[in-house]
Amino acid sequence: MTEVPLGDAEATSLARTYAALSDPVRLRLLSLIASAGEMCSCDLVEPLAKSQPTVSHHTRILAEAGLIDGDKRGRWVYWRVSPKRSNFVSQVLGG
């Protein structure tokens, strides 16, 4: 339990995070990235059996929630779990 109730900003941020995690595709995507350490968007298409635009949509939502960080290299973005959220991601994924 927390010592003080959540403020508006904290509640909004937490709700955004949990909304990002509410989709099974995004949970799998996050799991793939976390287990690999870093992954190219191009390598997420096949294991998720989703199109590149769909993968981009889901990575954008995870990035906006602050769960993953991307680094554009040429044509592709390479994703990794945000260092600030690594403990949280580990707990969410059961680690």
Side-chain angles (χ1 to χ4, degrees):
M1 295 294 150
T2 61
E3 294 180 18
V4 294
L6 291 173
D8 288 340
E10 295 89 2
T12 299
S13 176
L14 194 57
R16 185 179 307 123
T17 298
Y18 281 109
L21 295 171
S22 68
D23 185 286
V25 172
R26 287 193 288 272
L27 277 173
R28 286 206 55 229
L29 195 154
L30 185 60
S31 176
L32 287 164
I33 293 168
S35 66
E38 181 179 76
M39 241 176 140
C40 176
S41 290
C42 60
D43 294 327
L44 294 166
V45 172
E46 186 177 326
L48 293 173
K50 302 293 178 190
S51 68
Q52 182 60 49
T54 299
V55 169
S56 293
H57 167 76
H58 288 298
T59 53
R60 179 181 51 81
I61 291 171
L62 290 172
E64 287 174 354
L67 296 169
I68 60 174
D69 296 325
D71 179 32
K72 187 162 175 121
R73 299 180 198 158
R75 181 176 170 203
W76 299 105
V77 177
Y78 287 76
W79 297 100
R80 69 197 143 299
V81 171
S82 174
K84 296 177 186 175
R85 303 302 296 276
S86 61
N87 289 338
F88 176 79
V89 169
S90 180
Q91 289 177 339
V92 166
L93 298 176

